Amino acid sequence: MSEILVLVEHVDGEVKKVTLELLTLARTLGTPSAVWAGPGITPDAKARLAEYGAEKIYVAPAGDIVEYVVAPKAELLAQLVADKSPSAVLVAATAEGKEIAGRLAVKTDSGVITDAVGLGEGFVADQSIFGGGINVQSKVRKGTPIVAVRPNSTAPAPAAGAGAEEEISVALSEAAKAARIVERVKQEKGARPELTEAAIVVSGGRGVGSAENFSIIEELADALGAAVGASRAATDAGWYPHQFQVGQTGKTVSPQLYIAAGISGAIQHRAGMQTAKTIVAINKDPEAPIFELADYGVVGDLHQVVPQLTEEVKKRK
């Protein structure tokens, strides 16, 4: 089967979950090869990549690859595309991943698809466009398909690969060194999963009523092992930090389960969550647009429904 390059997302030597999803997806279409950019690969990381199907692991350990913004990773991938002639390149549809994909497309004179939520035979991608109003299928018509896939679009499944390591050296152009990273500030990691990677997301909206009442949303999220999200109305009101906003002007999530509590379902919010596998809506307004999208709906006061749901979840643990 043809080789598919997967750019590894990693932090402090740990492989992020989205990479395991990409390797799983790549296995359905060809032979996955992981690309590790920068220093810090560990035996555990190599074993993890091989566990999820990486037949080869291309390692570019040079420190300067991660000392500059985005461009060095695009040049590394462009060199591999030229040398290895893969059938496709998969990256995570994060802010950085999508910029890498765009730069790589220019360097290789290829087509690029971003925010894919599925990828089928012939590298036909499923996408949700125009603020989430239309679902389409897209295909690259020129060069090597470069596809940025949304986190949580594929459930990661282990299937052992050879994990053969091959070290790669890349000579960076002066243009790639135009923007140097001068400082990194490590964000304190809480007990909850990262919003864009979480398998379950519990979001609160205007119906929550206040910043203090968001504790109801947090308690349900903690009972489920979920991330907490919020609508634009809630973040604009100052009830929850903007970094947790889900929607067209916030973050896009594709969890296995999305619970929307007190969210009306404006198109702006739907654009950020409608690709969730299962959507549960809790709203006291039976005419709320969110019910058009929901797989399951509860018409009721979230201040009564959510605490009861939390208690039931705790009982089953």
Coordinates of all heavy atoms in Angstrom, one line a residue, residues 2 19 52 111-112 129 160 190 204 220 246 289:
S2 N 0.3 2.3 -0.5 CA 1.1 3.6 -0.6 C 1.3 4.2 0.7 O 0.5 4.1 1.6 CB 0.4 4.5 -1.6 OG -0.9 4.7 -1.2
T19 N -2.7 12.7 17.0 CA -1.8 11.9 16.1 C -2.2 10.5 16.0 O -2.1 9.9 14.9 CB -0.4 12.0 16.6 OG1 0.0 13.4 16.7 CG2 0.6 11.2 15.8
Y52 N 0.2 2.3 17.1 CA -1.0 2.7 16.3 C -0.8 2.7 14.8 O -1.5 3.3 14.1 CB -1.4 4.1 16.8 CG -2.2 4.1 18.1 CD1 -1.6 3.9 19.3 CD2 -3.6 4.0 18.1 CE1 -2.3 3.8 20.5 CE2 -4.3 3.9 19.3 CZ -3.7 3.8 20.5 OH -4.4 3.7 21.6
G111 N -2.8 20.6 -3.9 CA -4.1 21.0 -3.3 C -4.1 20.7 -1.8 O -3.5 19.8 -1.3
V112 N -4.9 21.5 -1.1 CA -5.0 21.4 0.4 C -6.5 21.4 0.8 O -7.3 22.1 0.2 CB -4.2 22.4 1.1 CG1 -4.7 23.8 0.8 CG2 -4.3 22.2 2.6
I129 N -19.1 23.2 5.8 CA -18.7 24.5 5.3 C -19.9 25.5 5.5 O -21.0 25.2 6.0 CB -18.3 24.5 3.9 CG1 -19.5 24.1 3.0 CG2 -17.2 23.5 3.6 CD1 -19.3 24.3 1.5
A160 N -0.5 -2.7 15.5 CA 0.9 -2.6 15.5 C 1.5 -2.4 14.1 O 1.2 -3.1 13.2 CB 1.5 -3.8 16.2
G190 N -5.0 21.7 33.8 CA -5.9 21.3 34.8 C -6.2 19.8 34.6 O -5.7 19.1 33.8
G204 N -22.1 25.4 28.4 CA -23.1 26.2 28.9 C -23.3 27.4 28.1 O -22.4 28.0 27.6
L220 N -20.9 18.5 36.1 CA -21.3 17.5 35.2 C -20.1 17.0 34.3 O -19.9 15.8 34.1 CB -22.5 17.9 34.3 CG -22.9 17.0 33.2 CD1 -23.3 15.6 33.7 CD2 -24.0 17.6 32.3
V246 N -16.9 27.9 22.2 CA -17.1 27.0 21.0 C -18.0 27.7 20.0 O -19.0 28.3 20.3 CB -17.8 25.7 21.5 CG1 -18.2 24.8 20.3 CG2 -17.0 24.9 22.5
P289 N -33.5 26.5 18.4 CA -32.9 25.9 17.2 C -32.0 24.7 17.4 O -31.8 23.9 16.6 CB -32.2 27.0 16.5 CG -32.8 28.3 17.0 CD -33.3 27.9 18.4

